Amino acid sequence: GAVVSQHPSRVICKSGTSVKIECRSLDFQATTMFWYRQFPKQSLMLMATSNEGSKATYEQGVEKDKFLINHASLTLSTLTVTSAHPEDSSFYICSAQGPYRSTDTQYFGPGTRLTVL
Amino acid sequence: GESVGLHLPTLSVQEGDNSIINCAYSNSASDYFIWYKQESGKGPQFIIDIRSNMDKRQGQRVTVLLNKTVKHLSLQIAATQPGDSAVYFCAEITKDTGNQFYFGTGTSLTVIP
């Protein structure tokens, strides 16, 4: 299957700082990338859908100014958590969809554990 | 929005037994379904998928059954092994929702050695 990587895998930061998480599709071109958030023992919550070269589409209740998403190329999307606070602590997972048509399977990254002190 | 849910939040099985994990969906227009496995601290891993024009699909030790009449999806794992212990999610995708994926709440499978 396709390979998706995330970096960093784990980050601890102070309240008020910004954190950038990278998502890369390593062996295919991802026309669409998704960002999810997951709390312990809960399902994935879609935050936003990111298409290469265009603005991300955010789900209801997700602050676009707080969670900045950039999808600059077909293999890279970034999520920046701005002015992070303890309530932003979570497991963030990206996925990439492709390579041939929009109904292709989403392949997930390994996740990034964010802890805000 | 449409919902995809799982009947059983937790499931414990004896090693070597077969496991069945169920999922109900509510959008009759759903045309693509996927089962994912998520181990603790890791991202979901694709297991098997099925399209709405099929009612059964088999993989290695896993079988997915789709019953469109009652909008039900199941994942069967044969000869369950300790390495199968994880949370299993079903996901549905429909063209009329812009190909978005909707995930169920997940079932935690524990395999007892």
Side-chain angles (χ1 to χ4, degrees), chain A residues 80-94:
Chain A
T80 301
V81 183
T82 62
S83 186
H85 290 285
E87 58 265 28
D88 298 323
S89 298
S90 189
F91 193 49
Y92 292 88
I93 307 172
C94 73

Side-chain angles (χ1 to χ4, degrees), chain A residues 41-106:
Chain A
K41 298 190 186 300
Q42 293 190 20
S43 187
L44 302 164
M45 184 189 81
L46 179 65
M47 298 175 67
T49 302
S50 169
N51 290 296
E52 185 266 339
S54 61
K55 288 184 179 180
T57 302
Y58 290 82
E59 294 299 297
Q60 194 172 14
V62 178
E63 299 175 59
K64 59 181 67 176
D65 294 331
K66 180 166 186 64
F67 299 99
L68 301 178
I69 292 172
N70 183 275
H71 193 162
S73 76
L74 286 171
T75 59
L76 174 64
S77 177
T78 61
L79 168 69
T80 301
V81 183
T82 62
S83 186
H85 290 285
E87 58 265 28
D88 298 323
S89 298
S90 189
F91 193 49
Y92 292 88
I93 307 172
C94 73
S95 71
Q97 190 173 50
Y100 301 115
R101 56 188 188 276
S102 60
T103 54
D104 270 348
T105 302
Q106 285 188 29

Side-chain angles (χ1 to χ4, degrees), chain B residues 8-89:
Chain B
L8 299 173
T10 61
L11 177 65
S12 295
V13 297
Q14 207 70 38
E15 181 179 358
D17 288 351
N18 297 332
S19 303
I20 299 176
I21 301 172
N22 297 303
C23 178
Y25 64 96
S26 56
N27 187 350
S28 56
S30 295
D31 49 18
Y32 183 42
F33 304 86
I34 302 175
W35 279 101
Y36 288 95
K37 172 187 179 182
Q38 186 178 24
E39 296 176 70
S40 180
K42 297 182 180 179
Q45 177 186 6
F46 172 90
I47 300 175
I48 192 168
D49 60 356
I50 189 168
R51 298 202 180 267
S52 60
N53 60 352
M54 303 170 68
D55 52 21
K56 181 179 180 179
R57 191 162 188 223
Q58 286 185 296
Q60 188 177 15
R61 282 202 307 118
V62 294
T63 301
V64 55
L65 299 176
L66 176 62
N67 186 331
K68 294 183 287 295
T69 302
V70 295
K71 296 196 281 289
H72 184 266
L73 189 71
S74 69
L75 176 70
Q76 299 178 3
I77 305 174
T80 313
Q81 302 169 0
D84 295 326
S85 293
V87 176
Y88 290 81
F89 295 97

